[in-house]
Amino acid sequence: MVRLLAGILLFTLTGCQSRAQQQPASPTPALRTEVNEAVSQSRQNAITRAVEHASQAVVSINVISINVIEVQSRDPFAGFFNDPFFSQFFSEQRTRRVEQEVQNLGSGFVISPDGYIVTNHHVAGNATKVTVSLASGRTLPARLVGSDKASDLALIKVDPDEPLPHLNFSSEPDPIVGEWAIALGNPLNLFQASEPTVTVGVVSGLRRDLGNHDGQLFYDMIQTDASINQGNSGGPLLNALGEVIGVNTVIVSQSGGSIGLGFAIPAARAQRIIEELRLNGRVDRAYYTGLKAVNLTDQIVAALRLETRQGILVVELDEDSPALHAGLSQYDVITAVEDEPIRDTDEYVARLYDFRPGDTITHDILREGQPLRLELNIGRLRN
């Protein structure tokens, strides 16, 4: 019996030892670290790296501005003076101008360590007070350096006590249709003083023209399906390298929310305007060509025997004007400026807004059915 128990005990101990030898050893701290790093690296991609690089340079902007509105009110004396003689001096309705304080919200991004920040004109262009909330949680007062309504760009400045993270513009002339597009900003002002919201899509199209809206010229825009909502205005549109390819500006929507039709000002145009705002506080648009043109109509197309309705008709030229010196003549049809097609007079003005007095720009024209290319040196409008 004792021998039997001893055998059982020996078998049990041997089995336990065998199972213990079969169990894997616990991973060492070094092994755990190596595995975690491998998993973390497998989750990272070009987009996460771009966001990590850029997010600290994106800000929320809170703006106070003063709007002047006209208010109709009933004249308190109108009912008292029923006599026709007095009624000529007192009317039923009176109009008065009232100043109204308005709060506006948007996004922006830092472009220099000393605190220059890009945003939209419709965000900060009429500001009387500007406050900037950084991704780090700090809030700083800002001042408006300059603003340009036509391009819908504005430049503001904070004075940080240490260099700020900032973004660089892409040096490529154009993004690639179909490449990643990353929009950063603070939609609906939900998360002030925190890291920005990230939405991702692709570059859906280039050189999209939305026309002239209340003096704002939305031409040659970048189209993206990265979700852009109210409050994203002024934030950056990035490529997968974390470079700014555009400034998020406008959406097309029937609901007021994103439906995948967002538009950004291209980096190349934004850079030139921003630099002018930094140096001068405004954009010099005192250009002068000395020509007057009208849109083509069916009657004009028929009379000139044109094969297309694309272009504008020169109807008048000032004496000693840049247009006259360039060789333009009455009844020339301007079809393109700097190789960009011109469809109407609004588009011609929009193309000129990309240039400044002193610039020389090419004009493609049709004269009696024959194509010509002329160079026009933009003059300066005299006061």
PDB file of all heavy atoms in Angstrom, residues 13 67 76 85 88 96 104 167 239 267 274 286 313 366 377-378:
ATOM      1  N   LEU A  13       4.090  13.940  -9.126  1.00  0.00           N
ATOM      2  CA  LEU A  13       5.154  14.942  -9.129  1.00  0.00           C
ATOM      3  C   LEU A  13       5.834  15.006 -10.490  1.00  0.00           C
ATOM      4  O   LEU A  13       6.141  16.085 -11.009  1.00  0.00           O
ATOM      5  CB  LEU A  13       6.184  14.627  -8.044  1.00  0.00           C
ATOM      6  CG  LEU A  13       5.689  14.800  -6.596  1.00  0.00           C
ATOM      7  CD1 LEU A  13       6.750  14.310  -5.629  1.00  0.00           C
ATOM      8  CD2 LEU A  13       5.351  16.261  -6.329  1.00  0.00           C
ATOM      9  N   ASN A  67     -21.148  94.644 -36.457  1.00  0.00           N
ATOM     10  CA  ASN A  67     -21.935  94.776 -37.688  1.00  0.00           C
ATOM     11  C   ASN A  67     -22.916  95.926 -37.538  1.00  0.00           C
ATOM     12  O   ASN A  67     -23.520  96.105 -36.475  1.00  0.00           O
ATOM     13  CB  ASN A  67     -22.716  93.488 -37.966  1.00  0.00           C
ATOM     14  CG  ASN A  67     -21.819  92.399 -38.531  1.00  0.00           C
ATOM     15  OD1 ASN A  67     -20.618  92.602 -38.698  1.00  0.00           O
ATOM     16  ND2 ASN A  67     -22.392  91.244 -38.819  1.00  0.00           N
ATOM     17  N   PRO A  76     -42.898 107.482 -33.174  1.00  0.00           N
ATOM     18  CA  PRO A  76     -43.856 107.653 -32.077  1.00  0.00           C
ATOM     19  C   PRO A  76     -44.784 108.854 -32.253  1.00  0.00           C
ATOM     20  O   PRO A  76     -45.837 108.926 -31.636  1.00  0.00           O
ATOM     21  CB  PRO A  76     -42.951 107.835 -30.854  1.00  0.00           C
ATOM     22  CG  PRO A  76     -41.657 108.325 -31.400  1.00  0.00           C
ATOM     23  CD  PRO A  76     -41.509 107.673 -32.734  1.00  0.00           C
ATOM     24  N   PHE A  85     -50.502 118.674 -43.080  1.00  0.00           N
ATOM     25  CA  PHE A  85     -49.326 119.547 -43.067  1.00  0.00           C
ATOM     26  C   PHE A  85     -48.174 118.894 -42.309  1.00  0.00           C
ATOM     27  O   PHE A  85     -47.028 118.900 -42.738  1.00  0.00           O
ATOM     28  CB  PHE A  85     -49.687 120.886 -42.423  1.00  0.00           C
ATOM     29  CG  PHE A  85     -48.492 121.783 -42.228  1.00  0.00           C
ATOM     30  CD1 PHE A  85     -47.957 122.487 -43.300  1.00  0.00           C
ATOM     31  CD2 PHE A  85     -47.893 121.897 -40.977  1.00  0.00           C
ATOM     32  CE1 PHE A  85     -46.848 123.302 -43.112  1.00  0.00           C
ATOM     33  CE2 PHE A  85     -46.788 122.709 -40.798  1.00  0.00           C
ATOM     34  CZ  PHE A  85     -46.271 123.425 -41.867  1.00  0.00           C
ATOM     35  N   GLN A  88     -46.173 115.506 -43.688  1.00  0.00           N
ATOM     36  CA  GLN A  88     -45.050 115.555 -44.619  1.00  0.00           C
ATOM     37  C   GLN A  88     -43.709 115.529 -43.898  1.00  0.00           C
ATOM     38  O   GLN A  88     -42.677 115.243 -44.491  1.00  0.00           O
ATOM     39  CB  GLN A  88     -45.150 116.806 -45.492  1.00  0.00           C
ATOM     40  CG  GLN A  88     -45.049 118.111 -44.717  1.00  0.00           C
ATOM     41  CD  GLN A  88     -45.215 119.332 -45.604  1.00  0.00           C
ATOM     42  OE1 GLN A  88     -44.599 119.408 -46.673  1.00  0.00           O
ATOM     43  NE2 GLN A  88     -46.062 120.261 -45.179  1.00  0.00           N
ATOM     44  N   ARG A  96     -33.116 103.505 -38.652  1.00  0.00           N
ATOM     45  CA  ARG A  96     -31.943 103.916 -37.885  1.00  0.00           C
ATOM     46  C   ARG A  96     -30.881 102.817 -37.970  1.00  0.00           C
ATOM     47  O   ARG A  96     -31.192 101.645 -38.130  1.00  0.00           O
ATOM     48  CB  ARG A  96     -32.302 104.189 -36.421  1.00  0.00           C
ATOM     49  CG  ARG A  96     -32.951 103.038 -35.692  1.00  0.00           C
ATOM     50  CD  ARG A  96     -33.562 103.498 -34.372  1.00  0.00           C
ATOM     51  NE  ARG A  96     -34.213 102.405 -33.671  1.00  0.00           N
ATOM     52  CZ  ARG A  96     -33.646 101.678 -32.709  1.00  0.00           C
ATOM     53  NH1 ARG A  96     -32.403 101.953 -32.340  1.00  0.00           N
ATOM     54  NH2 ARG A  96     -34.299 100.708 -32.122  1.00  0.00           N
ATOM     55  N   ASN A 104     -17.823  85.446 -34.026  1.00  0.00           N
ATOM     56  CA  ASN A 104     -17.544  84.566 -35.161  1.00  0.00           C
ATOM     57  C   ASN A 104     -16.479  83.563 -34.752  1.00  0.00           C
ATOM     58  O   ASN A 104     -15.617  83.855 -33.922  1.00  0.00           O
ATOM     59  CB  ASN A 104     -17.067  85.383 -36.366  1.00  0.00           C
ATOM     60  CG  ASN A 104     -17.236  84.620 -37.661  1.00  0.00           C
ATOM     61  OD1 ASN A 104     -17.896  83.585 -37.713  1.00  0.00           O
ATOM     62  ND2 ASN A 104     -16.632  85.123 -38.736  1.00  0.00           N
ATOM     63  N   LEU A 167       3.502  75.281 -39.748  1.00  0.00           N
ATOM     64  CA  LEU A 167       3.375  74.471 -40.954  1.00  0.00           C
ATOM     65  C   LEU A 167       4.057  75.158 -42.129  1.00  0.00           C
ATOM     66  O   LEU A 167       4.163  76.386 -42.178  1.00  0.00           O
ATOM     67  CB  LEU A 167       1.902  74.236 -41.293  1.00  0.00           C
ATOM     68  CG  LEU A 167       1.077  73.457 -40.267  1.00  0.00           C
ATOM     69  CD1 LEU A 167      -0.354  73.315 -40.747  1.00  0.00           C
ATOM     70  CD2 LEU A 167       1.689  72.094 -40.002  1.00  0.00           C
ATOM     71  N   ASN A 239      -1.315  67.563 -47.554  1.00  0.00           N
ATOM     72  CA  ASN A 239      -1.034  66.324 -48.271  1.00  0.00           C
ATOM     73  C   ASN A 239      -0.468  65.312 -47.281  1.00  0.00           C
ATOM     74  O   ASN A 239      -0.362  65.579 -46.080  1.00  0.00           O
ATOM     75  CB  ASN A 239      -0.087  66.573 -49.456  1.00  0.00           C
ATOM     76  CG  ASN A 239       1.258  67.153 -49.018  1.00  0.00           C
ATOM     77  OD1 ASN A 239       1.659  67.051 -47.852  1.00  0.00           O
ATOM     78  ND2 ASN A 239       1.959  67.761 -49.948  1.00  0.00           N
ATOM     79  N   ALA A 267      -2.350  76.655 -52.359  1.00  0.00           N
ATOM     80  CA  ALA A 267      -1.227  77.156 -51.578  1.00  0.00           C
ATOM     81  C   ALA A 267      -0.460  78.254 -52.303  1.00  0.00           C
ATOM     82  O   ALA A 267      -0.074  79.261 -51.696  1.00  0.00           O
ATOM     83  CB  ALA A 267      -0.294  76.002 -51.225  1.00  0.00           C
ATOM     84  N   ILE A 274      -0.706  86.227 -48.633  1.00  0.00           N
ATOM     85  CA  ILE A 274      -0.315  86.292 -47.222  1.00  0.00           C
ATOM     86  C   ILE A 274       0.942  87.131 -47.041  1.00  0.00           C
ATOM     87  O   ILE A 274       1.056  87.921 -46.096  1.00  0.00           O
ATOM     88  CB  ILE A 274      -0.127  84.867 -46.665  1.00  0.00           C
ATOM     89  CG1 ILE A 274      -1.482  84.179 -46.551  1.00  0.00           C
ATOM     90  CG2 ILE A 274       0.571  84.894 -45.308  1.00  0.00           C
ATOM     91  CD1 ILE A 274      -1.382  82.681 -46.432  1.00  0.00           C
ATOM     92  N   ALA A 286      -4.795  97.955 -57.270  1.00  0.00           N
ATOM     93  CA  ALA A 286      -5.008  99.170 -58.058  1.00  0.00           C
ATOM     94  C   ALA A 286      -4.500  98.976 -59.482  1.00  0.00           C
ATOM     95  O   ALA A 286      -3.790  99.807 -60.040  1.00  0.00           O
ATOM     96  CB  ALA A 286      -4.303 100.347 -57.394  1.00  0.00           C
ATOM     97  N   LEU A 313     -15.560  90.224 -75.345  1.00  0.00           N
ATOM     98  CA  LEU A 313     -15.360  91.110 -76.485  1.00  0.00           C
ATOM     99  C   LEU A 313     -14.872  92.472 -76.006  1.00  0.00           C
ATOM    100  O   LEU A 313     -15.508  93.118 -75.169  1.00  0.00           O
ATOM    101  CB  LEU A 313     -16.659  91.269 -77.264  1.00  0.00           C
ATOM    102  CG  LEU A 313     -16.606  92.202 -78.475  1.00  0.00           C
ATOM    103  CD1 LEU A 313     -15.767  91.575 -79.592  1.00  0.00           C
ATOM    104  CD2 LEU A 313     -18.027  92.511 -78.972  1.00  0.00           C
ATOM    105  N   LEU A 366      -8.686  86.411 -80.350  1.00  0.00           N
ATOM    106  CA  LEU A 366      -9.096  86.141 -81.726  1.00  0.00           C
ATOM    107  C   LEU A 366      -9.365  87.488 -82.388  1.00  0.00           C
ATOM    108  O   LEU A 366     -10.125  88.310 -81.858  1.00  0.00           O
ATOM    109  CB  LEU A 366     -10.354  85.276 -81.752  1.00  0.00           C
ATOM    110  CG  LEU A 366     -10.201  83.810 -81.338  1.00  0.00           C
ATOM    111  CD1 LEU A 366     -11.570  83.140 -81.296  1.00  0.00           C
ATOM    112  CD2 LEU A 366      -9.283  83.061 -82.312  1.00  0.00           C
ATOM    113  N   ASN A 377       1.331  94.690 -70.076  1.00  0.00           N
ATOM    114  CA  ASN A 377       1.962  95.108 -68.829  1.00  0.00           C
ATOM    115  C   ASN A 377       0.944  95.875 -68.001  1.00  0.00           C
ATOM    116  O   ASN A 377       0.503  96.957 -68.395  1.00  0.00           O
ATOM    117  CB  ASN A 377       3.193  95.971 -69.103  1.00  0.00           C
ATOM    118  CG  ASN A 377       3.943  96.332 -67.844  1.00  0.00           C
ATOM    119  OD1 ASN A 377       3.768  97.423 -67.308  1.00  0.00           O
ATOM    120  ND2 ASN A 377       4.773  95.435 -67.349  1.00  0.00           N
ATOM    121  N   ILE A 378       0.541  95.315 -66.861  1.00  0.00           N
ATOM    122  CA  ILE A 378      -0.527  95.915 -66.060  1.00  0.00           C
ATOM    123  C   ILE A 378      -0.071  97.266 -65.498  1.00  0.00           C
ATOM    124  O   ILE A 378       1.010  97.369 -64.909  1.00  0.00           O
ATOM    125  CB  ILE A 378      -0.940  94.973 -64.911  1.00  0.00           C
ATOM    126  CG1 ILE A 378      -1.427  93.641 -65.469  1.00  0.00           C
ATOM    127  CG2 ILE A 378      -2.031  95.624 -64.057  1.00  0.00           C
ATOM    128  CD1 ILE A 378      -1.746  92.620 -64.398  1.00  0.00           C
TER     129      ILE A 378
END
